[in-house]
């Protein structure tokens, strides 16, 4: 096995070096922020099996590689001691097979929360032959953002400031337009406080020959619905909400809360702190929210939140974004993409290629 350390100003920069030198088969052994000449840099230790046969490896092979990489195991044990011994009394490490235990330790290191680990533990304990992947697939559902899977005409993107709502909205609309050129699309800015986002939307609507509307007050949404026979798909850009505000209240005040042909998608970055996730979960909790869109995956160093949030909210993941550009950087989610991110820190191939 060939092991090498890469450093870059961002995880993306370091990953690009890994990919160009070691190729797609590289396994990420560790990923951390370090200080170099007084500046914070992302340091990635990667390895590649030089003699590995070039056959398409099964997902269990990929998982095995990640779990058996001795370097991270040693490093992690030194830092944390034996994880399961420290965990709640409900979890008896002896009840798991060594590989199951290793999988649990890996998840802990990725930032998967204790209550999720407990749910995983319960499933694994019940079946010694059970691998971690089907358990995770049971915890995180996926509903790819494709027109067949999302019949609603109205799609709104909600989430914190800077999460990537406006760019994701444009990307979803452009993707739809490219795949189905005849689809009549309308972009809607409901982001009254954010002049820039509104201008970006209007600009892209004009450039791409899409309709553009605004929703400011309660009556505007009703007018949009009345006018919506002209459109097959309507994408709405919602504002980031300040502390104390709630999405339910905001949607209610625009007569959007109970509108059946509307799906709201919550746009989040995977590297928010647990406290921020908690605050956003409360602020954006709503029956109207139907999926999660993860953006800025290229800037994350660990991916435990990709398991935590879907498990806690019960929401499926609909799309993943891993670059700031507007074309090809956002892809409909697939289950495999989630576990490749988690266990290999590998961004979706379609996304990287963009
Ligand atoms: N690196 C990276 N940047 C992104 C991604 N998605 C969005 N961005 C950038 O994040 C910034 C904020 O995005 P914007 O859509 O304006 O966020 P909003 O405030 O939620 O509408 C912009 O500079 C985007 O280009 C992504 O997946 N990766
Ligand atoms: Mg915006």
């Amino acid at each position: 096995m060939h092991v090498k350390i890469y450093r870059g100003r961002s995880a993306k920069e370091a990953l690009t070096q890994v990919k160009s030198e070691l190729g797609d088969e590289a396994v990420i052994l560790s990923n951390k922020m370090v200080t170099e000449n007084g500046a914070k840099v992302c340091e990635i230790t990667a390895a590649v099996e030089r003699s590995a046969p070039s056959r398409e490896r099964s997902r269990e092979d990929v998982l095995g590689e990640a779990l058996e990489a001795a370097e991270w195991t040693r490093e992690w044990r030194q830092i944390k001691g034996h994880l399961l011994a420290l965990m709640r009394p409900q979890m008896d490490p002896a009840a798991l097979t060594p590989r199951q235990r290793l999988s649990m330790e890996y998840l802990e290191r990725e930032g998967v929360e204790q209550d999720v680990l407990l749910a995983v533990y319960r499933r694994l304990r019940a079946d010694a032959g059970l691998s971690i992947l089907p358990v995770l697939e049971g915890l995180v559902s996926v509903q790819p953002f494709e027109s067949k899977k999302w019949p609603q005409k109205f799609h709104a993107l909600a989430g914190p400031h800077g999460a990537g709502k406006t760019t994701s909205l444009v990307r979803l609309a452009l993707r739809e337009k490219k795949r189905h050129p005849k689809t009549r699309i309308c972009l809607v800015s409901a982001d009254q406080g954010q002049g820039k986002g509104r201008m970006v939307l209007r600009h892209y609507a004009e450039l791409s020959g899409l309709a553009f509307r605004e929703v400011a007050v309660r009556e505007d949404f009703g007018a949009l619905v009345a006018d919506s026979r002209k459109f097959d798909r309507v994408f709405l850009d919602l504002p980031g909400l300040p502390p104390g505000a709630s999405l339910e209240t905001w949607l209610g005040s625009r007569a959007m809360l109970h509108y059946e042909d509307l799906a709201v998608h919550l746009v989040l970055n995977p590297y928010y702190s647990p406290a921020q996730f908690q605050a956003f979960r409360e602020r954006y909790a709503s029956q109207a929210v139907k999926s999660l869109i993860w953006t800025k995956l290229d800037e994350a160093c660990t991916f435990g939140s990709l398991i935590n949030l879907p498990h806690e909210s019960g929401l499926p993941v609909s799309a993943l974004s891993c670059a700031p550009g507007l074309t090809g950087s956002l892809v409909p989610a697939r289950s495999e993409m989630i576990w490749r991110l988690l266990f290999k820190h590998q961004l979706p191939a379609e996304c990287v290629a963009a």
Side-chain angles (χ1 to χ4, degrees):
M1 177 173 274
H2 174 68
V3 179
K4 198 168 166 193
I5 292 174
Y6 296 85
R7 285 186 173 172
R9 278 167 301 176
S10 64
K12 188 182 171 192
E13 197 177 292
L15 276 171
T16 307
Q17 293 176 45
V18 173
K19 205 168 166 260
S20 70
E21 273 201 51
L22 301 184
D24 282 341
E25 296 310 315
V27 180
I28 307 302
L29 302 176
S30 78
N31 186 347
K32 59 189 176 195
M33 297 306 289
V34 296
T35 306
E36 187 183 55
N37 301 328
K40 285 256 177 216
V41 294
C42 188
E43 182 187 271
I44 292 182
T45 307
V48 70
E49 191 69 68
R50 288 290 186 214
S51 57
S54 60
R55 71 187 165 87
E56 185 66 25
R57 285 163 315 134
S58 77
R59 58 186 208 161
E60 287 300 329
D61 289 342
V62 174
L63 173 63
E65 265 179 25
L67 295 180
E68 282 152 23
E71 288 81 356
W72 78 259
T73 326
R74 212 179 311 117
E75 181 188 277
W76 182 242
R77 287 222 170 94
Q78 279 168 1
I79 300 165
K80 276 214 84 166
H82 202 289
L83 155 80
L84 293 180
L86 302 175
M87 283 162 66
R88 299 176 194 175
Q90 303 98 295
M91 285 196 253
D92 172 15
L96 302 178
T97 65
R99 188 176 166 93
Q100 288 178 332
R101 244 184 349 251
L102 205 52
S103 305
M104 295 274 292
E105 290 180 12
Y106 189 97
L107 294 184
E108 165 83 357
R109 173 174 158 275
E110 281 295 304
V112 172
E113 282 167 5
Q114 299 286 310
D115 54 340
V116 188
L117 287 173
L118 187 58
V120 173
Y121 168 81
R122 288 197 173 123
R123 291 284 318 280
L124 291 178
R125 190 190 51 185
D127 181 352
L130 192 58
S131 160
I132 196 86
L133 294 177
V135 177
L136 293 180
E137 282 170 356
L139 295 180
V140 182
S141 65
V142 160
Q143 189 173 339
F145 202 101
E146 284 155 0
S147 30
K148 281 187 300 233
K149 307 263 181 184
W150 290 95
Q152 296 89 339
K153 180 182 281 192
F154 291 77
H155 293 272
L157 299 197
H161 291 293
K165 300 179 295 297
T166 306
T167 39
S168 295
L169 190 98
V170 171
R171 291 181 288 193
L172 288 172
L174 293 180
R175 203 170 191 283
E176 179 79 21
K177 186 80 186 161
K178 193 169 170 198
R179 271 163 187 67
H180 308 286
K182 295 213 171 112
T183 308
R184 299 164 305 162
I185 296 173
C186 180
L187 301 186
V188 180
S189 173
D191 193 358
Q192 294 302 302
Q194 300 281 311
K196 192 164 154 261
R198 191 167 141 251
M199 273 153 51
V200 169
L201 266 197
R202 182 189 278 278
H203 173 71
Y204 277 99
E206 277 169 11
L207 271 184
S208 322
L210 309 176
F212 178 80
R213 299 277 193 281
E214 292 188 54
V215 166
V217 294
R218 190 177 182 87
E219 294 70 33
D220 290 346
F221 187 68
L224 179 66
V225 169
D227 204 22
S228 68
R229 278 191 314 278
K230 295 179 191 154
F231 310 118
D232 304 306
R233 290 251 145 177
V234 181
F235 293 98
L236 297 100
D237 193 21
L238 306 188
L241 300 175
S246 85
L247 182 63
E248 283 266 310
T249 309
W250 193 94
L251 291 171
S253 69
R254 265 72 177 181
M256 290 167 71
L257 187 56
H258 300 291
Y259 188 63
E260 282 195 355
D261 209 11
L262 167 74
V264 179
H265 308 273
L266 184 55
V267 181
L268 293 172
N269 307 156
Y271 50 79
Y272 295 131
S273 70
Q276 278 176 300
F277 273 120
Q278 176 64 25
F280 295 150
R281 263 209 325 269
E282 287 165 13
R283 203 173 303 166
Y284 293 97
S286 169
Q287 52 168 7
V289 175
K290 305 293 185 208
S291 91
L292 293 168
I293 294 177
W294 291 112
T295 49
K296 307 199 185 181
L297 292 164
D298 53 313
E299 294 184 343
C301 279
T302 54
F303 295 92
S305 50
L306 267 60
I307 307 295
N308 295 333
L309 206 69
H311 175 252
E312 284 150 11
S313 64
L315 291 169
V317 179
S318 62
L320 302 171
S321 154
C322 56
L326 284 175
T327 46
S329 51
L330 180 139
V331 293
R334 288 200 318 270
S335 213
E336 184 194 349
M337 294 174 180
I338 308 279
W339 60 257
R340 276 189 181 274
L341 277 162
L342 190 68
F343 284 108
K344 283 202 78 180
H345 288 192
Q346 194 175 64
L347 300 171
E350 296 92 321
C351 201
V352 177

